[in-house]
Every structure is written in structure tokens, then in C-alpha cells.
Amino acid sequence: MPSAGDAVTIHTLRGFRDLLPPESSLFTRIEAAARDVFSLYGYQELRIPTIELKELFVKSTGDTTDIVEKEMYAFTDGGGREVAVRPEGTPGVVRAYIENNLGQTGRNGKYFYIGNMFRAERPQAGRYREFTQIGAEHIGNASPFADAETITMLVRLLEKAGVGGCSVVLNSLGCAECRKTYREILLEYLRLNIAGLCEPCKGRIERNPLRALDCKTDGPALAEKAPKLFLCPACAEHFARTQELLKISKVEHQVNTSLVRGLDYYTSTVFEVRSSALGSQDAVCGGGRYDDLVKSMGGPASPAIGWAVGVDRLAMLLKDKARMESPSAFVIAASDGARTAAFGLLGELRAAGISADFSNFELSLKSQMRSADRSGAAVALILGEDEIKNATCAVKTLKEKADQRTVPMTELLTEVKRIIS
Ligand code: HAM
């Protein structure tokens, strides 16, 4: 144990990380691209709490899912309530939709959220215990037009963020009726083949046989050998129409009947966007319909569809494009008497919409010039005794290493704008 007064270095927890510049700038760019696209499609922002009652996730994400069984940060709060830090955004959005009667506002039922999620998974490249999702939920529209629109919007978002080389994988899990029949057929098959299943699957097939198809251990073999789901005519028609509409939107996609998704609420259309450039954690986005969730959580019957992209994974794909932000102008005080004026000039530049920075007006001219060069600024503005006396400013274009020029104060802002434009 360190004694009082010892300096102790404290590190981040495993699976948590600091997002440093320039990588953090990628997050800002991706989020800005998403906001632009959401506004084109009529989506409005919903800010949901980070902590909710644990029961919300148990009931919606599902008590046999990995997320709820093993990965939730859940604890008893000071008031004795069982709470959890959100592992995903969909349950909170659905709760907010019901609690605030959003279905009765006459609006279009389209919401987006951007925020950090928490899952105590085994950390590896692209898999963190705290990560950022950008999510979209469209509640109250059962038609395949909603499916095609939301998947198209997702693809446009990836394009706008500059992410290429991704593929859209699609499947349909059918409705409750299709799955009721399939559940029995699959359960029968799993019971007969139980000896070959992993221990967790053995324990849960009676409660959730479909979960075995998504199991990391048993899933791949079952995808080949287990009986396949047959869609009822209405679900088959919905799925075919969705694909037809995606073609009209020029969204390339492949159908993969092994795609089951690991959350309990999905029905009908499910999809993922994957990138081969990401290694084993290749899912950039996951989503699908959850037509029964709102009702099962106590709300009005409201079919819904949504998705969430992993911003950390998008940032990995864009890492070559990470850039340090540079100010346009760098202000330097060349003498003691010029410091206050230099500070005032910084304010004027910023008020005129020109990004400006400085190091420390109390340091030597040489040291301030070094900082200006390192900052990546386009121009250095130097104030000394002569400049103050003559109401001028020395202007040095940094990138071209041009000679210093003297500009009257009255023309300075125009001149700086000309240089940086
Ligand atoms: P999900 O597939 O669990 O779906 O997560 C969506 C995306 O979040 C993944 O494709 C991945 O990019 C990212 N992600 C998930 N876990 C991690 C992690 N540990 N580290 C880094 N990134 C991660 C959902 O969360 C659903 N709520 C999506 C949805 C919305 N479905 C309907 N509406």
C-alpha cells in the first residue's frame, strides 16, 4: 500500500481508453456527417440517460443474451435499486417513446442518438468496454419502405463519413408466427444433438433455442446443419419488397440466412454492415426490425426498425485521415509592452471568425516563434514596441517561409482572411 504523500500513477481500466487528438477529431467528423444525414432524412435527436433500471435491459435486450448474461455493468445504487449502465441505446429509446407518449405527438417517429455504451466484453482490437454508438430508430412504420429507407440512410452516412469497402448483409427472422413453428423444429433438432453443444447452450436451449444459432462456439456448425427458418407468405413478401427497394436506392447487399443477431427483440429484417479491413471484430453496424418490442414493454403496438454504428470501428477504418487541428493565426508578443495588445488581438481575430492561438506572451520571441511553427498555423502576427507605436502588425506567412511584412492594424483582419482563404 502506498503511504500518504506517495505519488501514485493511476491508469485507465482495462477496455477503457482516452481518445486523443488526432483520433478524437475523427469522432467529431463522423458525428457531424451523421447529423447532416439524419437531418436529410427527418430524424431528430433523443438524449437518453446513461443509467437505467437493470430490468429495462433484461426485458428488452433479453435475459439469455451475452450482453445481459455476462457483459452488463449492473449494480445496486444508494437507494437499493438494481440499475445498469446502458449496453445499447434501443431499450432507452423505446422506454422514452412509451414514457413520453411520443407516438401521440403526430411526428414521424424517427429518432437518433449518439453516445457511449458499456459492455464488459473481453477487450481486443475494435472491441472496448466503453465505446460510442450512433443509432437510429424509426418507430411506428411497418412497411418495407421504412426498412429500405433506414438501410439506405445508413449506407449514405458511411459514404458521407468517407468509409468505403463495406458490405451490407441482410436476413429475415420472420414474425412471431414464423418463429413459433421454427422454434419447435429447431428445439427438436437441438435436443437430439445436445451432446455436441457447448455448456452455456445446453443450459439455455429450452428457454431460447434461437440463441444457439448466434453462439460463437456452436453457431457456425448449426448454420450449416440445423433446419432453416421458412418465412410465412407475408414475411417473405416484406423481405422481397425490401430488397427490391434497396435496388432502387442502389444499395448493394447480400442475403445471408445465417445472420441471426445476438439480441432478443429482433423480428423480420435484420442486417449488418461489415468491413474486411477490421479483422475479427468486422461489424461496423448492426440493426433490424423489432416489431413487438414497444408493445412488450408496455407501450402501444408499434412496429419499429433501427440500427447502431460503432464509431470506434469507423474511426479505425478512417485512421489515415486523422488530422491535428491547426489554428489559422498565431499571435506573438515581441516585447513586454505589447502583451496586453497581443491578448486583445487574439480576441478580435476570434470574434471575426478566425481561429487563433498563442503560446505564452511572457516567453522569448524565439520560443514563441518556435511554437507558432509547430502549431501548423498559416500566419504569425507579431506585435512589438514599433508596431504598437505605429498601430501596425508584423505579418509572417509561415508555410511559405515568406519575409515578414508590416500591415496597418485597420487592414489586418482583411489581410489575414486573404492569406488563409
Ligand atoms: P449491436 O450489434 O450490439 O447492436 O451493436 C451495434 C454496433 O456497435 C456493432 O456493429 C459495433 O460496431 C458496435 N459495438 C458493439 N459492441 C462494441 C464494443 N464492445 N466495442 C466497440 N464497438 C462495439 C445494437 O447495439 C442495437 N441496439 C442496434 C439496433 C438499433 N438495433 C435496432 N436498433
Side-chain angles (χ1 to χ4, degrees):
M1 278 289 286
S3 61
D6 280 357
V8 181
T9 313
I10 297 174
H11 299 279
T12 51
L13 293 167
R14 198 165 117 80
F16 291 74
R17 62 188 181 138
D18 300 311
L19 272 175
L20 306 176
E23 195 188 354
S24 55
S25 73
L26 290 175
F27 279 61
T28 314
R29 265 184 36 202
I30 294 165
E31 288 167 18
R35 285 177 188 280
D36 284 350
V37 173
F38 285 136
S39 122
L40 287 177
Y41 283 77
Y43 276 70
Q44 315 244 13
E45 184 168 13
L46 207 58
R47 296 195 183 209
I48 45 170
T50 311
I51 297 182
E52 302 259 11
L53 283 176
K54 180 181 169 188
E55 196 188 353
L56 172 69
F57 303 107
V58 174
K59 281 193 168 160
S60 48
T61 311
D63 58 354
T64 53
T65 59
D66 277 353
I67 294 179
V68 168
E69 270 190 334
K70 304 191 276 204
E71 297 166 359
M72 247 190 339
Y73 285 95
F75 59 97
T76 310
D77 76 359
R81 284 168 293 257
E82 291 287 312
V83 298
V85 189
R86 61 185 182 195
E88 54 147 340
T90 311
V93 171
V94 168
R95 182 207 40 71
Y97 183 83
I98 299 169
E99 189 169 338
N100 299 288
N101 290 318
L102 295 182
Q104 279 159 35
T105 56
R107 302 302 296 257
N108 61 11
K110 295 177 177 180
Y111 305 98
F112 78 87
Y113 52 89
I114 299 177
N116 44 356
M117 308 293 157
F118 302 81
R119 298 182 193 175
E121 297 188 76
R122 196 172 50 77
Q124 64 181 86
R127 189 159 77 190
Y128 307 99
R129 292 183 167 175
E130 178 183 18
F131 56 98
T132 301
Q133 278 189 346
I134 297 176
E137 314 289 355
H138 185 176
I139 305 178
N141 189 333
S143 81
F145 290 102
D147 302 42
E149 184 193 53
T150 200
I151 297 170
T152 304
M153 176 172 75
L154 165 62
V155 170
R156 300 292 174 255
L157 188 159
L158 297 175
E159 286 166 2
K160 177 110 192 172
V163 178
C166 291
S167 52
V168 179
V169 187
L170 210 63
N171 192 19
S172 174
L173 302 178
C175 61
E177 277 310 304
C178 312
R179 273 211 309 281
K180 204 157 93 193
T181 325
Y182 179 58
R183 191 182 182 282
E184 295 311 317
I185 298 170
L186 181 64
L187 186 56
E188 203 46 50
Y189 174 85
L190 294 174
R191 280 182 187 142
L192 286 173
N193 294 281
I194 196 156
L197 298 180
C198 71
E199 287 309 314
C201 277
K202 278 181 188 157
R204 69 186 164 213
I205 56 165
E206 297 293 331
R207 281 182 297 150
N208 188 354
L210 269 76
R211 179 71 184 78
L213 299 174
D214 185 57
C215 167
K216 286 179 187 97
T217 317
D218 299 329
L222 290 174
E224 274 186 28
K225 295 190 194 130
K228 299 267 177 287
L229 173 82
F230 279 99
L231 298 176
C232 68
C235 287
E237 161 70 22
H238 183 103
F239 194 43
R241 185 80 173 121
T242 299
Q243 292 177 65
E244 189 189 323
L245 293 168
L246 283 175
K247 270 203 196 99
I248 290 171
S249 300
K250 300 196 168 46
V251 169
E252 280 183 36
H253 59 273
Q254 293 131 32
V255 173
N256 181 342
T257 51
S258 308
L259 179 68
V260 274
R261 307 268 306 132
L263 297 98
D264 269 7
Y265 46 68
Y266 288 117
T267 52
S268 184
T269 313
V270 286
F271 49 92
E272 276 183 7
V273 174
R274 296 175 183 160
S275 165
S276 55
L278 277 177
S280 70
Q281 299 305 308
D282 65 349
V284 166
C285 177
R289 275 206 165 272
Y290 46 97
D291 288 342
D292 305 326
L293 183 62
V294 180
K295 184 147 191 268
S296 75
M297 297 302 288
S302 312
I305 184 162
W307 47 255
V309 287
V311 182
D312 303 70
R313 293 187 189 169
L314 287 191
M316 282 170 79
L317 293 172
L318 292 172
K319 68 176 184 299
D320 296 343
K321 295 188 184 145
R323 298 275 176 275
M324 289 303 256
E325 294 283 327
S326 297
S328 295
F330 201 94
V331 178
I332 290 167
S335 68
D336 298 0
R339 289 174 188 161
T340 312
F343 187 67
L345 176 58
L346 272 175
E348 279 177 49
L349 289 160
R350 291 165 180 160
I354 299 166
S355 63
D357 204 359
F358 74 118
S359 60
N360 179 349
F361 295 138
E362 292 171 0
L363 296 177
S364 69
L365 172 62
K366 202 168 157 200
S367 156
Q368 291 183 65
M369 275 309 292
R370 218 180 298 126
S371 298
D373 278 326
R374 273 202 298 251
S375 75
V379 64
L381 307 176
I382 307 152
L383 290 178
E385 293 305 321
D386 287 349
E387 285 79 17
I388 301 286
K389 208 176 343 142
N390 302 325
T392 58
C393 182
V395 175
K396 191 173 165 62
T397 318
L398 291 171
K399 289 201 180 111
E400 292 142 26
K401 305 254 179 267
D403 285 342
Q404 207 163 293
R405 288 173 298 119
T406 302
V407 175
M409 258 314 180
T410 49
E411 291 165 27
L412 185 63
L413 292 181
T414 316
E415 176 61 6
V416 172
K417 282 185 181 160
R418 190 193 63 74
I419 294 171
I420 64 177
S421 65

